Amino acid sequence: MDNRSKILSCALQLFAARGYDAVGVQEIAEAAGITKPTLYHYFGSKYGLLQSLLQEQFTELQNVLLKVTVYHGDLPLTLTRVTQALFDYAATHRRFYRMQLSMWFAPPDSESLKAISEVNGDQQQILEQLFIQAAQDHGNMRGRHRAYATTFLGMINTYIGLALNNHLALDDELVYKAVHQFMYGIFS
Amino acid sequence: MDNRSKILSCALQLFAARGYDAVGVQEIAEAAGITKPTLYHYFGSKYGLLQSLLQEQFTELQNVLLKVTVYHGDLPLTLTRVTQALFDYAATHRRFYRMQLSMWFAPPDSESLKAISEVNGDQQQILEQLFIQAAQDHGNMRGRHRAYATTFLGMINTYIGLALNNHLALDDELVYKAVHQFMYGIFS
DNA sequence: CAATGAGTATACCGAGTGGTATACTGTCCT
DNA sequence: AGGACAGTATACCACTCGGTATACTCATTG
């Protein structure tokens, strides 16, 4: 593994465990077995490191999401696939998802929130597109795609958050429950 | 307002906006119009300040919660009251709830999470008691009180989080929806 | 009056912060 | 061979961090 990858990997581990603000550049460098100028050579700044980290992981997540967000008239089916994909991604990228989640709920003026907002818009838009398509079949959904996408993602992220702390398991039963809870919320 | 209260108030504002780690003791002191030794006189350390802040606000929240968590055989009714109470509390203590929420999702080894965990257990237990009582009337709920309390609080907190970012409104309709979504989750 | 003790400020501490100027390597390309 | 350039390390910068030693003020109390 080259130094750049080593830095990214160690930074992810440290940020996920203690948070962006609480981890120093020096510490990351030591963990990666390099020195600070090397880190600054690749990423320019601590914040740039965070951006690169988020960027690279998020494009992967978005590709997964794009593959699974195809709508063919059966919204529960698509939502089930999306939920499964997100659960699966969270389970196989626990560290990253943990970091991403804590940043999602970070204070409004924190650098963490700023960083993740820059990157997160696409994910939201993919989901919004899905709900816009579905609204063509279900009139009462029209005009609420933004709210639906946010709520859906919020619910999923909550479940993942609970699962990461071992309060529940991300099994098929939970997928089923989550989707039906959400659908129930739409048609009531 | 005495200096102690001024410090607490300013610390809350700053922590809620930028996070515990990103705010320095010096900055809190300046915002409160005092100097560091005064702060250390009252709270001993930066972490002690955070603990006091959480402690005082949480006892207030717990009192609200205790008043409203009375079970008389109608679980949806009680949950509606609890949800309303939490929504109301969040709406009237936006800054504090914002801080509390970001700490709830803070990285596992962060001081923020440690601090809130020390204080949060009681809240969880109040809800668990409710579900234990309800399980006497609904056999299929038995033994899951812990999961129910966690999931319920998680759901409520997600809605509040979305509301704090103006993605939705904490109105009676949402209370109804949330409670029914949750009840649906139990009996399916 | 003298003594106590809470509350506050000045001035300081060592350690660590994010970030960089400089110089040295090695590997390409001409 | 020689220049360019990515990559890396040593040593440093000014600044901020959480925390404190000391001394002062002032109200309470013996």
Side-chain angles (χ1 to χ4, degrees):
Chain A
M1 195 156 57
D2 64 341
N3 282 340
R4 200 188 118 97
S5 305
K6 261 192 279 184
I7 295 170
L8 283 171
S9 166
C10 292
L12 172 59
Q13 192 163 342
L14 289 166
F15 288 162
R18 304 218 315 279
Y20 174 76
D21 291 313
V23 177
V25 176
Q26 177 84 37
E27 193 178 355
I28 299 169
E30 277 169 17
I34 50 101
T35 53
K36 284 199 289 176
T38 301
L39 190 153
Y40 280 91
H41 171 72
Y42 285 114
F43 303 104
S45 69
K46 186 189 179 188
Y47 188 73
L49 167 60
L50 178 62
Q51 282 179 311
S52 300
L53 191 53
L54 289 174
Q55 193 68 60
E56 298 189 13
Q57 295 273 350
F58 257 106
T59 52
E60 191 187 335
L61 175 55
Q62 272 162 34
N63 289 337
V64 172
L65 220 50
L66 276 174
K67 264 181 212 149
V68 98
T69 328
V70 282
Y71 177 68
H72 290 124
D74 189 345
L75 183 58
L77 177 64
T78 303
L79 288 182
T80 299
R81 292 213 177 112
V82 172
T83 305
Q84 274 172 336
L86 284 169
F87 281 8
D88 188 59
Y89 184 86
T92 54
H93 300 73
R94 289 176 71 98
R95 273 208 213 101
F96 171 71
Y97 217 94
R98 197 164 235 145
M99 185 182 83
Q100 185 255 14
L101 212 61
S102 74
M103 293 181 145
W104 218 60
F105 284 90
D109 296 344
S110 62
E111 290 192 301
S112 295
L113 185 65
K114 190 182 159 212
I116 209 159
S117 299
E118 292 172 3
V119 158
N120 210 341
D122 302 336
Q123 194 181 352
Q124 174 89 11
Q125 276 203 329
I126 294 171
L127 284 177
E128 284 186 22
Q129 280 302 317
L130 170 63
F131 288 111
I132 287 174
Q133 286 181 303
Q136 293 172 359
D137 297 345
H138 306 83
N140 61 333
M141 289 180 65
R142 214 156 291 160
R144 299 190 193 155
H145 53 275
R146 193 146 169 56
Y148 288 145
T150 312
T151 312
F152 181 72
L153 204 54
M155 182 189 68
I156 299 297
N157 275 339
T158 303
Y159 279 135
I160 293 176
L162 294 172
L164 287 175
N165 292 331
N166 297 318
H167 288 134
L168 47 80
L170 297 179
D171 50 18
D172 286 346
E173 189 195 334
L174 186 60
V175 174
Y176 179 86
K177 249 192 210 172
V179 171
H180 281 71
Q181 266 185 36
F182 182 76
M183 292 302 295
Y184 175 90
I186 290 182
F187 299 110
S188 67
Chain B
M1 194 156 59
D2 63 343
N3 282 340
R4 199 189 118 98
S5 305
K6 263 193 278 186
I7 295 170
L8 283 171
S9 166
C10 291
L12 172 58
Q13 192 163 342
L14 289 166
F15 288 164
R18 304 218 315 280
Y20 174 77
D21 289 313
V23 176
V25 176
Q26 177 84 35
E27 192 178 354
I28 299 170
E30 278 169 16
I34 50 100
T35 53
K36 283 199 291 176
T38 302
L39 191 154
Y40 279 91
H41 171 71
Y42 286 114
F43 304 104
S45 71
K46 186 189 179 187
Y47 188 73
L49 167 59
L50 178 63
Q51 282 179 310
S52 300
L53 191 53
L54 290 174
Q55 192 70 59
E56 298 190 13
Q57 296 273 349
F58 256 106
T59 52
E60 190 188 335
L61 174 56
Q62 271 162 34
N63 289 337
V64 172
L65 219 52
L66 276 174
K67 265 180 211 149
V68 99
T69 327
V70 281
Y71 177 69
H72 291 124
D74 188 346
L75 183 58
L77 177 65
T78 304
L79 288 183
T80 300
R81 292 214 176 109
V82 172
T83 306
Q84 274 171 337
L86 283 170
F87 280 8
D88 189 60
Y89 184 86
T92 53
H93 300 71
R94 290 176 71 100
R95 273 209 213 100
F96 171 71
Y97 216 94
R98 194 162 238 146
M99 185 183 84
Q100 185 254 11
L101 212 60
S102 73
M103 293 181 146
W104 218 59
F105 285 90
D109 295 344
S110 62
E111 291 192 303
S112 295
L113 185 66
K114 189 181 160 213
I116 208 157
S117 299
E118 292 172 3
V119 158
N120 209 342
D122 302 337
Q123 194 181 353
Q124 173 89 11
Q125 275 202 330
I126 294 171
L127 285 177
E128 283 185 23
Q129 279 304 318
L130 169 64
F131 288 111
I132 288 174
Q133 285 181 305
Q136 292 172 358
D137 296 346
H138 307 83
N140 61 332
M141 290 181 63
R142 214 156 291 161
R144 299 190 194 155
H145 54 275
R146 191 145 171 59
Y148 288 145
T150 312
T151 311
F152 181 73
L153 206 53
M155 183 189 66
I156 298 297
N157 276 339
T158 303
Y159 280 134
I160 293 177
L162 295 173
L164 286 176
N165 293 330
N166 297 318
H167 287 135
L168 46 79
L170 297 179
D171 50 19
D172 285 347
E173 189 196 332
L174 186 61
V175 173
Y176 179 87
K177 246 191 210 173
V179 171
H180 280 72
Q181 267 186 35
F182 182 76
M183 291 302 295
Y184 175 91
I186 291 182
F187 298 110
S188 68

